Amino acid sequence: MTTARAHANIALVKYWGKRDEKLFLPTNGSLSMTLDGLYTTTTVELAERDELVLNGETQGPEALGKVTRLLDLVRAMAGSKAGARVTSINQVPTAAGLASSASAFAALAGAASKAYGLALDDVALSRLARQGSGSASRSIFGGFVEWRRGERADGLDSHGVPVVPQSHWDVRMLVTVLETAPKSVSSRVGMRRTMDTSPYYPGWIASAAADLVEAREAVLARDLAGLGAVMESSALKMHASMLAARPPFTYLQPASLAVIQAVWAWRAEGLAGFVTMDAGPNVKVLCAATDAEELAARLGALPGVEEVLVCGPGPGLSYEVS
Ligand code: DP6
């Protein structure tokens, strides 16, 4: 029986689109910050057949199927036919669209590989986690993390690499939780539709490699304004490409746009926050640790904002001994 913990991550340069859907190989490299405070703890014990219990509730075939797919990869490596009982707790203060597949598949990759007796290094764990959910490849590592696109058809060179550790930079990611319904288009379906139909998608791809270089340099230099500019551009180009898909779709809700505009107005007054958004309506705001309290208070007072979570850079995958 093995228990592993992995933290959620927020992409500053986004992943949106796969060049190989089966192996989860991305069309472009991405860069993220791992978050403290938001994590998944997963225990794997060998059993007669696969079973998934998430936050105390036994899951049906859809969620279990995704877990079984990852377990099959582990079983193939370990030469085992044993089933596994997977018990997972999502340590996320609210259910509002933040239960992250990234932390879930990173924790599962860690706990399952150990339970089946494999001794995988972090790069191998990142490749494995990637095949559960692309963004999970980044949650194996703490601090700021790059997921390399890679060139190989077998995916061996497509995995996370640490850029700088958790201690490098005292910034905060403020996660605004909005009062809205759960997302209607999954990221998996949304990214495929954008790739297949959006005339803006080639523009997104054309600029992604340069965004990655710019973001990496800004992180290394602790340049908040530089990182903020490229992260807003990456996120908004991604969301613009979805608006131009057929049929069109968007994760932007009226309250999301109100948060973005408020952050921009405060920035013009000298309070520096920078926005990003993923496949859901919640807006995340990057800022200096010293501005976090003021910004969180202002965000919390905006209409439609239910809660604001204040997260610093978080650690990579860890194990609990039982
Ligand atoms: C918008 O990793 O959830 O959050 O690989 O299909 O499981 P799958 O998708 P997922 O997509 C994340 C998309 C994003 C941007 C990002 O995290 O880079």
Side-chain angles (χ1 to χ4, degrees), residues 89-131:
I89 308 272
N90 260 330
Q91 205 61 51
V92 180
T94 167
L98 288 169
S100 157
S101 64
S103 56
F105 281 102
L108 179 63
S113 58
K114 269 215 170 159
Y116 280 90
L118 297 171
L120 302 183
D121 62 18
D122 282 348
V123 164
L125 284 170
S126 176
R127 283 190 205 110
L128 176 62
R130 186 198 77 217
Q131 293 173 78

Side-chain angles (χ1 to χ4, degrees), residues 248-277:
F249 66 106
T250 186
Y251 299 108
L252 274 157
Q253 294 285 330
S256 319
L257 197 53
V259 170
I260 292 171
Q261 287 181 318
V263 170
W264 286 347
W266 299 331
R267 199 161 81 214
E269 294 164 12
L271 184 60
F274 300 89
V275 297
T276 189
M277 249 182 87

Side-chain angles (χ1 to χ4, degrees), residues 9-18 24 30-32 100-102 105 130 132-138 147 183 186-189 191 238-239 242 251 277-280 284:
N9 74 75
I10 300 295
L12 310 170
V13 174
K14 301 296 184 188
Y15 146 58
W16 195 250
K18 298 179 182 72
F24 289 72
S30 53
L31 191 146
S32 60
S100 157
S101 64
F105 281 102
R130 186 198 77 217
S133 183
S135 52
S137 64
R138 301 184 305 238
W147 171 17
K183 67 179 168 187
S186 74
S187 49
R188 204 153 298 184
V189 169
M191 62 177 82
M238 179 183 82
H239 288 280
M242 299 175 206
Y251 299 108
M277 249 182 87
D278 296 294
K284 291 98 180 184

Side-chain angles (χ1 to χ4, degrees), residues 228-244:
V230 67
M231 87 179 233
E232 286 195 344
S233 172
S234 175
L236 294 173
K237 279 183 287 195
M238 179 183 82
H239 288 280
S241 72
M242 299 175 206
L243 282 167

Side-chain angles (χ1 to χ4, degrees), residues 92-316:
V92 180
T94 167
L98 288 169
S100 157
S101 64
S103 56
F105 281 102
L108 179 63
S113 58
K114 269 215 170 159
Y116 280 90
L118 297 171
L120 302 183
D121 62 18
D122 282 348
V123 164
L125 284 170
S126 176
R127 283 190 205 110
L128 176 62
R130 186 198 77 217
Q131 293 173 78
S133 183
S135 52
S137 64
R138 301 184 305 238
S139 275
I140 297 295
F141 301 97
F144 289 81
V145 184
E146 185 177 331
W147 171 17
R148 296 217 171 119
R149 176 193 189 277
E151 298 298 330
R152 294 172 61 117
D154 63 7
L156 280 178
D157 57 354
S158 185
H159 54 77
V161 284
V163 176
V164 290
Q166 200 183 345
S167 58
H168 171 77
W169 200 9
D170 202 17
V171 288
R172 296 290 178 272
M173 190 69 83
L174 311 179
V175 181
T176 65
V177 179
L178 305 180
E179 296 155 353
T180 53
K183 67 179 168 187
S184 49
V185 181
S186 74
S187 49
R188 204 153 298 184
V189 169
M191 62 177 82
R192 185 185 307 145
R193 190 189 300 168
T194 311
M195 273 186 87
D196 290 348
T197 67
S198 174
Y200 294 172
Y201 191 76
W204 150 260
I205 288 304
S207 59
D211 285 355
L212 195 57
V213 173
E214 200 179 324
R216 195 193 303 125
E217 281 171 6
V219 167
L220 289 170
R222 300 188 188 89
D223 172 5
L224 185 64
L227 180 60
V230 67
M231 87 179 233
E232 286 195 344
S233 172
S234 175
L236 294 173
K237 279 183 287 195
M238 179 183 82
H239 288 280
S241 72
M242 299 175 206
L243 282 167
R246 285 182 77 156
F249 66 106
T250 186
Y251 299 108
L252 274 157
Q253 294 285 330
S256 319
L257 197 53
V259 170
I260 292 171
Q261 287 181 318
V263 170
W264 286 347
W266 299 331
R267 199 161 81 214
E269 294 164 12
L271 184 60
F274 300 89
V275 297
T276 189
M277 249 182 87
D278 296 294
N282 300 320
V283 179
K284 291 98 180 184
V285 182
L286 182 73
C287 65
T290 44
D291 289 331
E293 202 180 321
E294 171 71 20
L295 265 170
R298 291 194 192 189
L299 288 165
L302 292 175
V305 176
E306 197 171 270
E307 200 180 351
V308 181
L309 312 173
V310 180
C311 302

